[in-house]
Amino acid sequence: MTTSYPPASASPPPIAQIGPVAWMRKNLFNSWFNGILTILLVWLLGSTVINFVRWAFSLAQWQVIPANLPLYFVGRFPASQYWRVWVLVALLAALAGQTWGILAKTAPRLFSRPVLIGLAIAALIAVIFPTPPLYRLLILGVVLVVAASAWVGWQIGSKVPGFGKWLALAWAIALPIALWLLLGGFGLRPVNINDWGGMLLTVFVSVISILLSFPLGILLALGRQSTLPVIRWLSTAYIELVRGLPLLSILFFASVMVPLFIPGNIRLNLVIRAIIGLTLFTAAYLAETIRGGLQSIPRGQTEASRALGLSTPLTLGLIILPQALKVSIPAIVGLFISLLQDTTLLLIIGLFELLGISRAILANPQFIGRYAEVYLFIGLIFWVLCYAMSWGSRRLEQSLNTTH
């Protein structure tokens, strides 16, 4: 017995459902309303880009940037001592490259295509950056140091499991070395911290405030969960009081009131007072972030550690706190990025960080009205710093991810 089939249809084959045209038809032009909305958005974005490019290449006066590069990056740091800043940059580049290599030790390839493209762009910027030829070579050398040290860290990290602990010690040693290079003393010419400014002051205040607020925030988070009523009440009162005040008022308090609480023969620099204000403010928010991480840890972890005979400090230090900090990494880094951005408020109390230096440059009669160029440049600097912190946070999360 034979089976009869209906005649084949003479209609054309269906349209291919792959490729960019099919994707646009499915996602951008799947209805008349979405099609009109897509056309309007493309027109708006295209006209914005075209106008920006026209302004950047024909109307903008970028001379304000190369003419004030030292002010942007180091403020009034003595020009004869710039070599100390370059030594510090080279040291930090080597440590940053090592850290990158350690965090990527499980990756099959360190220099993937996006990484190579990023390094090529960085090298191109180093070559075309409007600086003297010597500085261009130094910037290119910093890029090469980062790449080379990253490769070395990747090689060592994959073969020596405990190398990351020594790298953390190297970062800890780098801090006093950085202070020695920047402040001087012990064989180097002293440099007044009031002569710092621009990106140097912004990064210094941010890093020191982060290093001080992190342990203080942990102590406040643990204190708010303490079984001792006095410690719990004092921690709660501090956190709620500081979180109820704007940062600007705390900076004014630190700059004006802190000297009244210390002996008269001790004079705190304005930079130190600003660091105190930022540290106290950030620690309160950090404490609540870490407390949320502590509450996310199941109670069974604590009960299991007690069954094993561990004391309360060992339980916190070895079991509870590491897990809570790992869970809180995105929120913690978000707070640190906000701290970096909040350094722009230091202008109010008389410190010339990036925004303050920009205002001083714009006050120069030669550069009056160059607001767009100046603010675009410092906005780019802030974006690079914030993105570097965000990228480091993602890499740290991936390296600590034990759920797979």
Side-chain angles (χ1 to χ4, degrees), residues 68-82 84-85 181-184 189-202 204-205 269-272 350-354 356-357 360:
N68 298 281
L69 276 180
L71 289 177
Y72 279 117
F73 288 102
V74 294
R76 295 177 298 171
F77 201 87
S80 60
Q81 304 299 313
Y82 281 174
R84 289 149 66 168
V85 179
L181 286 172
L182 295 177
L183 291 174
R189 169 187 166 185
V191 176
N192 194 333
I193 198 172
N194 291 326
D195 293 334
W196 297 10
M199 182 177 171
L200 175 62
L201 183 60
T202 296
F204 175 79
V205 170
N269 189 277
L270 186 59
V271 176
I272 305 301
L351 292 178
F352 290 92
E353 37 66 58
L354 266 176
I357 285 292

Side-chain angles (χ1 to χ4, degrees), residues 48-49 51-57 59-62 64-65 69 72-73 129 354-355 358-359 361-362 369-385:
T48 301
V49 171
N51 290 333
F52 175 78
V53 171
R54 184 184 297 115
W55 168 81
F57 287 96
L59 299 177
Q61 300 180 14
W62 297 107
V64 64
I65 306 301
L69 276 180
Y72 279 117
F73 288 102
F129 206 63
L354 266 176
L355 183 61
S358 301
R359 297 289 295 273
I361 291 172
L362 290 172
R370 300 295 97 202
Y371 297 98
E373 295 87 344
V374 169
Y375 289 141
L376 184 63
F377 181 66
I378 65 171
L380 179 62
I381 294 177
F382 271 108
W383 179 83
V384 171
L385 295 175

Side-chain angles (χ1 to χ4, degrees), residues 88-307:
L88 177 58
V89 169
L91 174 63
L92 296 180
L95 289 176
Q98 289 280 329
T99 305
W100 170 21
I102 292 297
L103 293 178
K105 61 183 178 181
T106 58
R109 280 195 313 169
L110 177 64
F111 299 115
S112 59
R113 181 179 299 178
V115 172
L116 291 176
I117 294 175
L119 290 176
I121 293 175
L124 178 62
I125 293 175
V127 171
I128 66 175
F129 206 63
T131 57
L134 176 61
Y135 287 171
R136 297 184 187 183
L137 292 177
L138 290 173
I139 297 174
L140 185 60
V142 169
V143 176
L144 295 177
V145 167
V146 171
S149 58
W151 185 85
V152 173
W154 183 62
Q155 292 288 334
I156 297 177
S158 59
K159 299 175 182 178
V160 183
F163 183 71
K165 299 178 181 179
W166 295 103
L167 186 60
L169 178 62
W171 276 108
I173 297 175
L175 178 61
I177 294 177
L179 293 177
W180 171 63
L181 286 172
L182 295 177
L183 291 174
F186 300 102
L188 292 180
R189 169 187 166 185
V191 176
N192 194 333
I193 198 172
N194 291 326
D195 293 334
W196 297 10
M199 182 177 171
L200 175 62
L201 183 60
T202 296
V203 173
F204 175 79
V205 170
S206 302
V207 170
I208 300 300
S209 300
I210 288 172
L211 293 178
L212 295 178
S213 63
F214 187 71
L216 181 57
I218 292 177
L219 292 177
L220 288 172
L222 296 175
R224 189 161 188 176
Q225 289 194 321
S226 174
T227 56
L228 300 176
V230 176
I231 296 179
R232 184 173 65 252
W233 294 339
L234 289 177
S235 300
T236 303
Y238 172 83
I239 292 172
E240 297 302 332
L241 176 63
V242 174
R243 293 177 69 203
L245 296 174
L247 176 58
L248 192 58
S249 63
I250 294 179
L251 289 176
F252 275 119
F253 173 83
S255 62
V256 177
M257 301 296 294
V258 166
L260 302 178
F261 294 93
I262 59 177
N265 58 342
I266 299 177
R267 296 182 61 86
L268 290 180
N269 189 277
L270 186 59
V271 176
I272 305 301
R273 284 178 268 168
I275 291 175
I276 293 174
L278 289 172
T279 299
L280 296 177
F281 181 81
T282 306
Y285 285 85
L286 191 62
E288 288 298 277
T289 300
I290 296 175
R291 187 171 69 92
L294 291 172
Q295 291 179 342
S296 67
I297 306 303
R299 186 177 296 272
Q301 300 276 340
T302 304
E303 296 174 352
S305 64
R306 290 176 180 173

